[in-house]
Amino acid sequence: MSSRGKKIFLAITIIVPMIIYCYIYYKPIIQNAPFRKADFVSMEYKWGVKDTLENSYNSATGEYQYVTKSDSTIRKKIFLKSDDILYMHAKANEIGLWNFPDTIGKKSPKSMAVPRYDLLFKYKEKSKHVVIYGDFDGNPKLLDAAVQMRKVIEDTLNQAERRSGK
């Protein structure tokens, strides 16, 4: 058998079946992913102390409200670009937001100034709601991932606010 014939035989018996196998195996996984960027509807982010979540953002309406250090409430309309949404979605996938438990930490009656963060990502078929309490004492990797996701959202909102110039 010639050298060229050996290469063709190798390609037909090993490489082509491997490509077919990968296509058959991964296609349903990718298509049935529960949180796809194409199915994104909106994102809500609320934060505050204890049960009072006076700071909030809703990407569907663009409503952005926060309390400044001087206790004045600022209300703005800020809409995210599709690039911002894509970035947050990619970061959520990278960090593993979809695998987070619904509650990180626990409501503590003893501490009066425990920060609370409420994340809600809505998609056409599913949604992911995560509540993060500031007095979390569990797995540090989970807390680090939750803080990282919160930081990504806050940075994206700050960039959108600067872009809007309001």
Side-chain angles (χ1 to χ4, degrees), residues 1 4 6 9 19 36-37 40 44 51 54 58 60 71 76 83 90 127 147 156:
M1 189 181 265
R4 185 168 185 250
K6 288 179 185 178
F9 178 76
I19 291 171
R36 294 185 300 238
K37 197 281 186 194
F40 181 80
E44 292 180 28
D51 290 332
E54 65 271 351
N58 185 333
D71 287 336
K76 297 180 178 184
D83 290 344
S127 64
V147 168
T156 304

Side-chain angles (χ1 to χ4, degrees), residues 55-75:
N55 306 301
S56 65
Y57 177 73
N58 185 333
S59 70
T61 61
E63 300 285 328
Y64 186 38
Q65 170 183 312
Y66 59 94
V67 177
T68 63
K69 291 179 183 177
S70 60
D71 287 336
S72 62
T73 302
I74 308 290
R75 287 185 171 89

